[in-house]
Every structure is written in C-alpha cells, then in structure tokens.
Amino acid sequence: MELMEAIRGRRSLGRVKADPIPRETIELILEAGNWAPSHHHTEPWRFIVMTGSGRDVLARAYGDIAAERAKVSDEPALAELRAKHGAKAYRAPVVIAVTVKPSDDPGVIRIEEFAAAHAAVQNMLLMAHSLGLGAIWRSGEPIYHARMKEALGMDENEWLVGLVYAGVPDMAAPAGRRKP
C-alpha cells in the first residue's frame, strides 16, 4: 500500500470481528508506534497490550468509573451499569493503551512529549490499516480517571493518551472527505 493511499484510506472502524490477531501482527503495530518522532529522542510512550482475558482489567476499570458516577445505588442496577460499561473493553480482540511519561529533562518541552505519543498512535493506526485491520483511537473522560491509571499500572507522572482498538473489520470503511 502506498503511503498516501494509506493516509487517505484509513478510517476509524469501531466494529471489528472477535477473531484473534496474531502476535506478529501486534508487534508490527507496536514497532510502527515506536518509530514515531520525538523531540530530544525521548521516546516518551509506553504501549500496554490487552488481549483475551487481559482486557478484564480494562473492563473492571470502565465498570468502576461508571459506578462511581452513577446516580443509582441499588446493587442490581449498579451491576448492570458495570457490565454495560465494562463491555467496552471487549469491542476488539486487541486493545493497546498508549501512555506518555514526559521526560523531566529541563530542556524538554512537556507538550511536545504528548505530541510524540499522539504521533505514535497515528503510526499504529496507519500500520493496522496497511495490514488490513480495522482500528479506532478511543479516548473520552474515563481514560483520564485515576481508576484507569491505577488499573493500567501507570505511575503518577504518566498519562493515558488513548486506547487503540484493533481487529478484522466487520464494517465497510466510510468515504473520507477533507477540506482542500
């Protein structure tokens, strides 16, 4: 696949099949992320791969966060809410948490460390697309919650920049349009 074709053709695909993804394929996606540019060569990203039952930790965190924010207090309703939100962890056979831990070197500009981690995510999405996979970069309020940080074993100086969900597409890619 030509580079411009990959850039123009990649779309966020939220519906993928449950088919397992080979380890070698996951490693190619991680390697693409690892080759993102970073100022001062800090490589501030970390990738946490969750497959199979490894996604349970993510499901529990989603459920806990939803329960904490819930306006219900009865146990059956909370259990249903936990299950509903926990199901987000199983939308794809592979979920890769991408974190950033900015360098504490005084010459490093903190926002550039986040930009580097975001570039790593884009590389990963493009690689997944070039391998025929569907992928989506998910974020939103729950990923910034302290419970998510705890669940993923992140330290206090590390931030989650997104979750990359990947799998065999189970939907057609929508057409893309951009302003010139």
Side-chain angles (χ1 to χ4, degrees):
M1 181 180 290
E2 293 294 321
L3 180 58
M4 195 54 155
E5 178 187 356
I7 291 170
R8 286 185 173 156
R10 193 212 65 81
R11 295 287 167 271
S12 293
L13 297 179
R15 284 196 337 255
V16 296
K17 298 176 183 176
D19 305 352
I21 304 303
R23 180 184 180 99
E24 297 78 23
T25 302
I26 296 168
E27 288 174 353
L28 285 171
I29 294 169
L30 298 173
E31 186 69 12
N34 200 42
W35 277 96
S38 64
H39 292 86
H40 303 282
H41 306 285
T42 58
E43 300 178 26
W45 48 75
R46 181 166 68 113
F47 310 127
I48 303 164
V49 179
M50 295 167 275
T51 63
S53 63
R55 297 170 294 172
D56 294 351
V57 68
L58 182 60
R60 283 190 297 276
Y62 269 132
D64 290 348
I65 294 165
E68 177 187 298
R69 295 181 173 158
K71 304 259 191 276
V72 296
S73 59
D74 67 278
E75 283 306 315
L78 278 174
E80 184 178 328
L81 188 69
R82 283 179 185 279
K84 176 185 173 192
H85 286 270
K88 295 174 184 178
Y90 307 104
R91 291 178 183 165
V94 177
V95 182
I96 304 169
V98 180
T99 73
V100 61
K101 186 173 182 178
S103 170
D104 57 5
D105 182 309
V108 173
I109 299 171
R110 187 171 187 267
I111 192 75
E112 292 176 352
E113 299 286 80
F114 282 82
H118 295 147
V121 171
Q122 175 68 350
N123 280 6
M124 295 165 76
L125 293 170
L126 286 169
M127 178 56 79
H129 175 62
S130 77
L131 296 169
L133 297 177
I136 187 168
W137 177 359
R138 293 197 183 271
S139 58
E141 200 173 330
I143 74 159
Y144 307 115
H145 194 282
R147 174 66 181 99
M148 191 65 74
K149 190 178 244 195
E150 173 194 338
L152 296 174
M154 297 165 57
D155 72 33
E156 63 186 30
N157 299 315
E158 190 173 13
W159 285 265
L160 184 58
V161 298
L163 300 168
V164 175
Y165 285 71
V168 175
D170 197 18
M171 63 181 289
R177 291 185 304 275
R178 293 292 189 273
K179 296 175 188 173

